[in-house]
Amino acid sequence: MTTLSTELNDRFQVQGHQEIPADILGELLSAMRLHALSPQELFYKWESYSIKMGSEDTKMDYDTVLAFKKDMQEMLEREKRGKVQLRSREVRGVHATPRNARAGGDLMDILEGSTPRTPQTASSKGTTKRKAPFETPMVPKVNKSAMKSSPTDGRTNGVNNHGTAPFSERKNAGQIIETLNDQLPPREAPLAPPSEPRVKLTANTDIKRFSYRPMAMHLSEASEVLDDRIDEFLTLIQEHHKLEDSAFGNASAKSTSEIVAVGRIACDTPEGKLNAASVVLESSRRTGAGRRIPLQLDEVTSQGFFPGQIVAVRGINASGKYFAVNEVLEVPLLPLATSVPSEIEAAHKRLGVEDDSDLTSPSNALNVLVASGPYTADDNLDFEPLAALCETAQENYSDVLILVGPFLDTDHPLIATGDFELPDDASIEPDKATLSDVFRILIASKLRQLAQAVPSITIVMVPSVRDAVSKHVSWPQDVLPKRELGLPKQARMVSNPVTISINEIVIGISAQDVLHDLRREEVYIGKPKEMNVLARLPRHVIEQGHFFPVYPPTDRTQLPRSGTEDGIANGTPIDVAYLKLGEWLNARPDLLILPSTLTPFVKVVECVLVVNPGGLSKRKGPGTYAAMSVYPRKLTEEERASEDVRVDHQLFERARVDMTRI
């Protein structure tokens, strides 16, 4: 069997076969030749295809492989067409003659009302919306004639898309697709909402530091931040492995002595994709004058690398041309989050726990719902999935609702063009409406209704760089303006990223899709120790102790296509000078929420409960959310007797998590 066939057999699994059947193997090899892909790159594309089609229903067989190849070809053709259209727009320029986009219209509406079309009343003005893709999206004037001139499907904020089924007709609503700790019963909803909140919310992040001035970065500040991170890791490595100062050296300096070098993984070309032959190590200015040296990884048996990863390698640079790596040193993990017993007992009192017999009662468990944007499909702005989630929270009298942006998504086709209508009963004049008004009408109203029905609920709102109502355009990102958006007092606005505590539970949240970037940029040398990619990717985040350790982030043209006209996503605008705001300070969180376009999942990685709730709405259909039932932490007699001892929280053992279809 050839090397390529062996690698494909290591990565792909066909149900009922130990090895890939010959016909399927032939098609996979053909796809690799046609698209110039390595087995690992082909496997990544298969994962993306499985996620798009629904991983639980996509099994590898001959017909599926043919459909997979066809999808790859169609995607390639779409990318080529998009590039051609983009180049043609650049050639024409932004001052090209504007044309009426409405069928049957004339230039600039000069002949408005005289050309034959669907009859309309005399009061209709029939103004034309002209798209300006290079301007800031704004809410246009309401075009009443559009509502009167042709029949619609009854939606107030959408377009007639016959390919998308109405949300009310969705299938499998409430279906649980994955459960962690199914031996624990789900929390029982009380007969009435609690008289006061059962949780105490505190921010472990200095949120005021996020109100920096974006897009005012100095190169000197950015380089110092990148260098400081390498030097800090060097100190951690030295203390963990008990190494002398003499053990460390400059990887780019020619020497026959074995040294330990600490640096940042990068690719040898600025726009290239990392592979085993293109891995270079970038040193800090203090340890190696900031130089880069190629790494020879022939002796490495199993190790994953990605751009921006800080690593410590042991080896020799005998020729001065490359650093031959003999060993990749283990990176020490941050300690687990802990609390003193008195803090645990205070949380018990808020939950109504009087003795140990109440610890296992489902009625005393916390009910936490976790959801991430988008919150509506591409063909409308009705936000029906968000309304359904609020109904679920109201029915269960949930204690906490964690909502991660984007809310008004700049990648949404209607938001991007401004081509939508406000509800007729809106209290805002459409001609004067701002995006904040749109948020108050379409989103905040649903949250106010929930807060009125369940006054004890705590709503945590995390912004996204794709939020149209956020004035902070880069990551790390400041909070959303609560008063301006008309949100209830139960809403707590936090930064992106953020670390908070709910009672004793430490929760880390980042709206940036780091898992997708890691999946695309990661290169693995040898056979992975963890074959499940959804468990392997969060491990990188935990080991690096940073919410977004990838640097530079994936190019926006390589991200999943958005619903806008050009299909190019907004990408990840990072303010490098403030990357330190994304670091974990003292401990690993108990719960790590990392929303992603990858398959929704819940995993336990290094004693951290990692949750990807998925989007509450997909582009053309309903999505998923995570429902958590968190039982109280049981204290032993020894732990109660000693106030000096700090105890870990063991959340991954006492939390039931259900990944649920909305």
Side-chain angles (χ1 to χ4, degrees):
M1 185 177 292
T2 63
T3 303
L4 290 179
S5 300
T6 303
E7 292 186 29
L8 289 174
N9 273 288
D10 289 340
R11 288 175 170 81
F12 292 88
Q13 295 180 354
V14 180
Q15 191 172 5
H17 298 272
Q18 292 183 349
E19 295 184 353
I20 302 177
D23 54 348
I24 299 178
L25 182 62
E27 295 296 337
L28 293 176
L29 291 171
S30 172
M32 289 173 55
R33 290 193 298 270
L34 286 173
H35 299 279
L37 300 173
S38 67
Q40 187 178 37
E41 292 171 333
L42 183 67
F43 178 66
Y44 286 160
K45 288 187 176 293
W46 166 254
E47 283 186 326
S48 300
Y49 177 75
S50 300
I51 292 169
K52 181 171 68 174
M53 301 305 294
S55 59
E56 66 271 13
D57 301 323
T58 306
K59 306 298 181 185
M60 175 164 285
D61 54 30
Y62 186 71
D63 293 336
T64 308
V65 170
L66 292 180
F68 171 50
K69 289 181 62 179
K70 182 179 178 181
D71 182 79
M72 290 174 60
Q73 185 63 32
E74 291 175 350
M75 186 177 296
L76 180 63
E77 292 173 357
R78 284 196 299 269
E79 290 177 356
K80 288 183 177 179
R81 286 197 298 268
K83 291 178 181 178
V84 171
Q85 293 174 1
L86 184 60
R87 284 196 295 269
S88 64
R89 283 198 295 270
E90 291 174 350
V91 171
R92 289 197 302 268
V94 297
H95 301 292
T97 303
R99 299 189 181 276
N100 189 355
R102 186 172 57 240
D106 59 287
L107 181 64
M108 298 296 289
D109 269 352
I110 294 175
L111 303 179
E112 174 64 36
S114 64
T115 55
R117 60 190 178 104
T118 307
Q120 60 183 10
T121 62
S123 61
S124 302
K125 296 182 181 180
T127 57
T128 301
K129 301 182 182 74
R130 287 175 292 172
K131 298 178 180 179
F134 298 100
E135 297 178 359
T136 303
M138 296 182 65
V139 181
K141 297 181 179 180
V142 174
N143 187 353
K144 296 182 179 178
S145 64
M147 299 175 61
K148 298 180 180 179
S149 61
S150 59
T152 66
D153 61 355
R155 296 178 184 268
T156 58
N157 297 315
V159 295
N160 189 9
N161 188 342
H162 298 289
T164 304
F167 180 79
S168 59
E169 298 177 8
R170 67 193 186 280
K171 298 180 180 179
N172 303 321
Q175 179 187 13
I176 297 175
I177 59 177
E178 183 181 0
T179 299
L180 177 73
N181 293 331
D182 56 359
Q183 76 277 8
L184 298 173
R187 183 249 196 177
E188 295 179 357
L191 298 178
S195 58
E196 58 184 22
R198 299 203 305 158
V199 299
K200 178 183 178 182
L201 178 68
T202 56
N204 301 338
T205 300
D206 187 0
I207 295 180
K208 292 182 179 179
R209 295 179 61 193
F210 286 78
S211 59
Y212 63 88
R213 182 182 175 188
M215 300 174 63
M217 176 176 58
H218 299 287
L219 290 179
S220 59
E221 295 176 357
S223 62
E224 288 174 2
V225 168
L226 296 175
D227 278 353
D228 289 346
R229 182 159 169 79
I230 296 176
D231 295 338
E232 289 169 3
F233 260 75
L234 189 148
T235 303
L236 292 175
I237 294 292
Q238 184 174 12
E239 293 176 354
H240 179 71
H241 293 278
K242 297 179 174 56
L243 300 174
E244 300 292 336
D245 291 342
S246 58
F248 295 90
N250 180 5
S252 59
K254 182 178 180 180
S255 173
T256 56
S257 301
E258 186 179 68
I259 63 167
V260 174
V262 179
R264 177 179 290 104
I265 295 296
C267 185
D268 58 1
T269 55
E271 298 180 358
K273 191 177 187 305
L274 199 66
N275 57 56
S278 65
V279 179
V280 298
L281 185 72
E282 177 184 276
S283 61
S284 68
R285 283 174 291 187
R286 184 173 72 86
T287 59
R291 294 178 179 175
R292 291 183 172 185
I293 186 71
L295 296 183
Q296 186 187 72
L297 303 169
D298 296 344
E299 300 297 322
V300 178
T301 57
S302 180
Q303 179 66 41
F305 295 102
F306 61 88
Q309 180 184 17
I310 310 298
V311 297
V313 291
R314 191 194 304 272
I316 298 174
N317 183 359
S319 63
K321 297 180 179 179
Y322 60 85
F323 188 80
V325 178
N326 300 326
E327 180 188 4
V328 180
L329 300 185
E330 179 187 22
V331 176
L333 299 177
L334 288 172
L336 295 171
T338 58
S339 300
V340 295
S342 59
E343 294 174 343
I344 304 292
E345 291 177 338
H348 288 177
K349 291 180 180 179
R350 282 190 289 270
L351 296 175
V353 175
E354 297 180 356
D355 51 46
D356 287 352
S357 62
D358 294 334
L359 295 175
T360 56
S361 173
S363 61
N364 288 327
L366 276 178
N367 180 250
V368 181
L369 302 183
V370 182
S372 173
Y375 290 94
T376 189
D378 275 5
D379 66 335
N380 69 84
L381 289 177
D382 293 333
F383 289 91
E384 293 171 297
L386 177 61
L389 181 68
C390 291
E391 290 177 6
T392 301
Q394 180 176 341
E395 292 171 359
N396 296 331
Y397 296 124
S398 298
D399 298 295
V400 181
L401 175 61
I402 299 177
L403 300 177
V404 185
F407 299 98
L408 282 183
D409 189 358
T410 54
D411 279 348
H412 193 288
L414 300 181
I415 296 294
T417 61
D419 190 11
F420 60 89
E421 310 287 347
L422 290 175
D424 294 335
D425 59 351
S427 59
I428 303 297
E429 295 183 29
D431 292 349
K432 300 179 181 179
T434 65
L435 286 172
S436 296
D437 297 326
V438 175
F439 186 99
R440 284 202 302 270
I441 296 169
L442 301 180
I443 298 177
S445 59
K446 298 175 174 59
L447 299 179
R448 288 196 298 268
Q449 292 175 5
L450 172 61
Q452 185 176 4
V454 189
S456 61
I457 195 171
T458 298
I459 305 173
V460 180
M461 301 188 69
V462 184
S464 165
V465 293
R466 285 162 45 188
D467 269 309
V469 293
S470 175
K471 298 178 182 178
H472 207 107
V473 297
S474 57
W475 191 96
Q477 184 182 12
D478 199 7
V479 302
L480 294 176
K482 179 178 179 179
R483 181 176 299 179
E484 182 180 327
L485 299 179
L487 291 163
K489 66 178 183 179
Q490 288 86 345
R492 305 295 181 87
M493 319 307 288
V494 296
S495 59
N496 171 30
V498 70
T499 302
I500 59 176
S501 290
I502 294 178
N503 290 345
E504 81 284 0
I505 305 168
V506 179
I507 304 176
I509 313 171
S510 176
Q512 208 59 41
D513 191 352
V514 64
L515 298 180
H516 178 274
D517 280 28
L518 283 170
R519 187 189 63 81
R520 190 185 182 282
E521 302 294 341
E522 181 196 37
V523 58
Y524 215 95
I525 308 300
K527 189 174 182 179
K529 298 176 182 177
E530 175 58 71
M531 296 301 296
N532 188 331
V533 67
L534 298 180
R536 190 171 70 239
L537 299 179
R539 191 180 304 276
H540 288 310
V541 178
I542 295 171
E543 288 179 348
Q544 294 291 299
H546 198 284
F547 283 106
F548 200 89
V550 183
Y551 183 80
T554 300
D555 187 88
R556 59 197 296 251
T557 59
Q558 305 300 321
L559 296 174
R561 293 178 63 83
S562 68
T564 56
E565 184 179 4
D566 59 10
I568 300 178
N570 281 334
T572 308
I574 286 185
D575 222 319
V576 181
Y578 295 92
L579 272 179
K580 196 171 182 63
L581 295 177
E583 291 183 358
W584 299 355
L585 298 179
N586 302 317
R588 284 173 273 168
D590 301 307
L591 172 63
L592 181 59
I593 300 174
L594 298 176
S596 175
T597 56
L598 302 184
T599 304
F601 68 86
V602 52
K603 302 288 182 186
V604 177
V605 182
E606 298 293 351
C607 299
V608 177
L609 185 58
V610 184
V611 174
N612 167 24
L616 192 66
S617 175
K618 299 178 182 177
R619 289 180 55 186
K620 294 185 178 181
T624 56
Y625 67 95
M628 300 181 60
S629 299
V630 183
Y631 284 78
R633 164 71 156 89
K634 184 178 181 179
L635 293 173
T636 64
E637 292 300 330
E638 292 79 6
E639 291 171 341
R640 282 195 177 96
S642 177
E643 277 296 326
D644 298 331
V645 175
R646 301 186 67 89
V647 297
D648 56 7
H649 301 149
Q650 302 173 359
L651 178 68
F652 60 92
E653 295 179 347
R654 56 187 177 96
R656 175 190 173 109
V657 185
D658 294 318
M659 304 303 302
T660 312
R661 298 186 191 275
I662 188 62

